[in-house]
Structures are given as C-alpha cells and as structure tokens.
Amino acid sequence: MDNAAIEFLSLLKNRSSQQIRDAFVQLDDSAKKHVLEWLFKQSSNPEVYSDMQGLSVLLIDGDSIPTGFMSSLVEEDRFAFFYLALQSKQLLQMQNHQGNTLLHLMFANPKKTTPPFNFIRSLLLFERNEDIAKCLTVRNQQGLTPIETYLAHHASLAPIATPEMGALIGLMEAEKSQRASVDLNNLGLILKHLCHVHGKTTLLNAKHRLILLGAYFNYSESDIEQRIHAALF
C-alpha cells in the first residue's frame, strides 16, 4: 500500500465524514484503489462488515470509483460489498473504455464457468432495483447488451445448472420489459463469432447455447441451426 493510502487511513478515526470525503478526493487513483481494497479486506470480519460498507458508500458517494477499479468488482462478494456505493452514485450503468458495464464484465467473465445470473436476478427481485433492469439494456461498443455478451463471448458452452438457467431466463424477461425488441442483426454477429471461436460443428452440438439463443431472439432451436448451416463463415 502506498504512503498516501496509509496516511488517509490514519484519518478514519479522528476526522468528520466531510473531512474524510475531502481527503479521499485528493488521492490519486492508485491510492484510492488501495483504500477501497483495504475496506473490502476488513469486511471479511462480520462484526465490521456494515461499518466498512458504510465507509465505502461515504467515499464513493463523495467522489466516484477510481479508474480501473470497476473490473475488480466482477466477483459476487466484491459486487455485494460495493453494491450500496454503486447505487448511491448510480454507477451500475457506468461504462468502461469498451462500453462495458459491470454486468457485461460479470456475464463474460472467463473465470466463471457459469456467470452469477441467480445472484443478479435476486438483487433485481428483492431489491426492486431499476438500475439493474436498465443496465440489462445498455449496449457496449460492439452493440451488445450484457446478456448478448454472455451468449457471444462466454468461453464455456457447457449447460448451466437449472437454478442459473431459470435466473437467466428471468433476466431475459426483465430486459425485454425495458425495450421494444431485440436487434436481430446481433444474432448474426453472435453466431459468426461463436463459429469463428468454436467451429460450426462444435456450436451445432452445443444444444444448450442454441436453446438460449433461440429463447433470447425468439427463434426455435431448429431456426438457429439452419442459420448456422447457411452462414458463409
């Protein structure tokens, strides 16, 4: 941890909320990241979790999250800890240099065999969070929504567990309620990318992904298969 972050943390016990906010704003992005990481690590102790989370809200509400920190929030425990802070600044729809929101990053995370659909669906249902619903419709620089990003770019074509499958369908419905229609041009883009990465034969055998593509774009599995067979890629 750099000296600026250490010096800032020494202020936490002796300064007012406004003084702490003002001091945090003065830090560079590297020091801000160290401070937020420190808060998250301390939260592993259940007795101080809410206090550390409250501090994260105080700091981020008075400023923002530092550049490059968003990508570290793709794990559920980190997302949950900073969730209130993200809400306070309406940062769930914030986009990085590639136009990706946190949901884009979470749903395409190659380290997760199955993205945390159930986790996000639970937040959407129990928190009645309109920000998450709106975030489902945000398009990145490729023109893809978070769910389309999963369908195109998640490395694993393996079937997902029933609870996650149900949650994903629920998220698809939530997205549909926020927009007029899907962009059918994206179906061709997604199939082209999947064929390039996995090959037509592998993709045609990935029945689970074909079913999900059909459910999202309102096509039958056989319609999706025909489009793959007919494609010149």
Side-chain angles (χ1 to χ4, degrees):
M1 185 178 296
D2 59 36
N3 291 334
I6 293 172
E7 184 177 344
F8 171 82
L9 291 172
S10 70
L11 302 177
L12 294 180
K13 291 183 179 180
N14 305 312
R15 301 297 176 93
S16 69
S17 295
Q18 190 58 53
Q19 287 174 316
I20 291 171
R21 277 182 169 184
D22 292 344
F24 185 74
V25 170
Q26 299 303 315
L27 299 177
D28 62 24
D29 278 353
S30 176
K32 288 176 181 176
K33 283 188 243 184
H34 282 137
V35 169
L36 295 176
E37 280 290 340
W38 184 86
L39 294 178
F40 174 70
K41 288 179 181 177
Q42 300 309 303
S43 74
S44 61
N45 179 354
E47 293 182 0
V48 300
Y49 186 95
S50 61
D51 291 334
M52 295 299 104
Q53 190 176 54
L55 275 171
S56 76
V57 173
L58 173 69
L59 299 180
I60 291 176
D61 188 49
D63 187 28
S64 186
I65 62 173
T67 302
F69 191 70
M70 188 168 77
S71 61
S72 71
L73 303 181
V74 297
E75 301 297 332
E76 293 99 304
D77 55 348
R78 288 174 173 271
F79 186 95
F81 177 74
F82 289 103
Y83 179 67
L84 294 180
L86 295 171
Q87 277 188 303
S88 74
K89 291 289 283 188
Q90 297 183 322
L91 293 176
L92 290 172
Q93 296 181 57
M94 183 181 68
Q95 295 170 273
N96 65 11
H97 64 288
Q98 295 178 320
N100 292 316
T101 65
L102 272 170
L103 292 192
H104 284 94
L105 298 177
M106 294 177 83
F107 290 177
N109 185 2
K111 295 180 181 179
K112 290 282 188 179
T113 302
T114 302
F117 298 125
N118 206 26
F119 171 72
I120 297 299
R121 175 67 169 160
S122 296
L123 288 178
L124 182 64
L125 288 176
F126 299 122
E127 299 290 340
R128 298 185 181 277
N129 191 302
E130 293 183 2
D131 287 339
I132 288 181
K134 291 176 181 176
C135 190
L136 289 168
T137 67
V138 175
R139 297 189 180 278
N140 61 17
Q141 289 182 1
Q142 291 183 301
L144 302 179
T145 67
I147 292 175
E148 289 172 340
T149 298
Y150 163 72
L151 293 172
H153 294 291
H154 197 275
S156 175
L157 296 178
I160 58 179
T162 300
E164 294 289 351
M165 175 74 161
L168 175 55
I169 297 299
L171 291 174
M172 288 182 183
E173 292 300 320
E175 181 189 330
K176 287 179 182 178
S177 71
Q178 298 288 314
R179 55 162 171 74
S181 61
V182 294
D183 185 344
L184 292 178
N185 290 327
N186 281 351
L187 175 56
L189 293 175
I190 291 171
L191 292 178
K192 181 177 181 179
H193 177 77
L194 290 172
C195 286
H196 176 73
V197 173
H198 301 283
K200 281 189 177 183
T201 300
T202 298
L203 182 58
L204 286 166
N205 288 327
K207 300 297 184 182
H208 187 78
R209 183 63 60 90
L210 302 185
I211 291 171
L212 290 176
L213 284 165
Y216 183 85
F217 287 100
N218 299 315
Y219 282 107
S220 68
E221 181 185 345
S222 61
D223 288 333
I224 300 294
E225 290 175 343
Q226 288 175 17
R227 283 174 170 260
I228 296 171
H229 281 298
L232 299 176
F233 46 72

